[in-house]
Amino acid sequence: VHSLDDAVRDYTALGFTVVPGGEHAGGLSHNALVSFADGSYLELIAFKGGGVPEDHLFYRPGNPEGLVTYALLPDDIERTVSEARLRGLDMGAPRPGGRERPDGTRIEWKIAEPPSRDLPFLCWDVTPRDLRVPGGSATVHLNGATGLADLVVSVGNLGTSEARYEALLGEPPLDDPASDQPGCAAFRLGESAVLLTPATAESGREGPWMLSVMCEPPVPFSVTDLALTHGVRLSFVMSPLPVNSVEAEYDFVGALRCRQCGETGAYRVIEQMLLDEPGEMPEDHLMVQCERCGYEGAAAFDISSFYGR
C-alpha cells in the first residue's frame, strides 16, 4: 500500500482487527497485520520514500497497490528449498530477515525467494512465531473473518506454472478443481486452496490476483470498492451450516448478532435461495437484513439431511 496509516484505517472500516507490526530491518518499510484464527494473516506493508526499490521482491512496475505476493510457512526452510531444487525448481537460498515491534521486541526469520512471480516465497520463523503473528483477541474480527479460503493466482502459462508448483510442493494439483473454473489448476494448502488461472486483460501480470476470506455468517459476498481495499479484489465466503429443517435455519438467523450495530435478534429474512446443482450438495441461502441499522448479509445452510423429503 502507499500509505500504511490509510490502509489501517480502511481495513478497520472493513471490519478487520488490524495490529501494528513495526519497522523492518534497514528501515525501508513498516507494516501492520490482520491475523486469522486459522493461523494465516494479511500483511499491510508500505515502503518509505515513495516506492518499492526495484531490486526488492515486492517491486512491480508502476508501484501499484494491491496483492503483490504471498508466503508459505515451511516446516524446515533449508530442507524445503533443497527438495524443491532436486525436483528442478531454482528457489533462492534462505537468507535472514527481521523487524522490530513497536514494543521494542526484535523478531527474526529466514526467507527464500522464488524464481518467478507466479510462485510464493517461503518465510520461516527463527524467533517464536507468536511474536511475529499476533493471536488471541487479534484474530477476532467484526466482519466474522476466520481465515483464508482461497487465493487466485494469475499465470502466464498454466502448464509451466503447474510444473513449478508441483516442484515446490511435492504434490500434483487437485484432480477436480472448482467446476465453474475450467482451464485452471488448484493446489490444496491446509484448509485453503491456491487456484492458478491463465492471465487475462483484467488480471494482467502474473501473481496473486483475488482473495477469498472465510467468515462466519452473515457476511457480504464481496467488497467492490478497490479504493477501500487498496487494490485487493476481496470476497467473503462461508462454509454451509448443516441443519435438519428450514425452521432451524430461521432460528439460527434469529439468534445472530448484527455485524454492524451489534444488535442481537434484529435480523429478518428478505430472500431465500435454493442452490441445487447436479452433483453438488444442496444449499439454502438466506439473505438477511438488520431491522435496526439496515445491514445486509447472507447465511448458507447444508440441507442435504432433509432435502428431497
Side-chain angles (χ1 to χ4, degrees), residues 221-298:
F221 284 117
S222 63
V223 181
T224 57
D225 187 352
L226 292 180
L228 189 62
T229 64
H230 292 257
V232 177
R233 288 168 176 82
L234 178 66
S235 62
F236 293 87
V237 298
M238 52 192 158
S239 296
L241 181 72
V243 291
N244 294 317
S245 67
V246 174
E247 289 79 11
E249 299 177 33
Y250 280 73
D251 288 344
F252 179 83
V253 168
L256 284 172
R257 176 176 175 269
C258 179
R259 293 282 179 220
Q260 183 161 283
C261 70
E263 186 76 11
T264 299
Y267 280 119
R268 65 184 181 93
V269 176
I270 58 176
E271 184 179 359
Q272 182 169 349
M273 256 184 325
L274 172 66
L275 300 182
D276 183 21
E277 297 293 333
E280 299 290 331
M281 175 181 67
E283 296 180 19
D284 237 356
H285 285 204
L286 300 187
M287 299 297 297
V288 300
Q289 184 181 58
C290 178
E291 293 185 309
R292 177 176 177 179
C293 68
Y295 174 84
E296 294 186 2

Side-chain angles (χ1 to χ4, degrees), residues 28 47 52-59 95 113 117:
L28 287 177
F47 284 74
V52 185
E54 290 192 21
D55 61 350
H56 196 280
L57 172 66
F58 295 173
Y59 174 75
R95 59 180 177 81
E113 296 190 13
R117 299 294 194 190

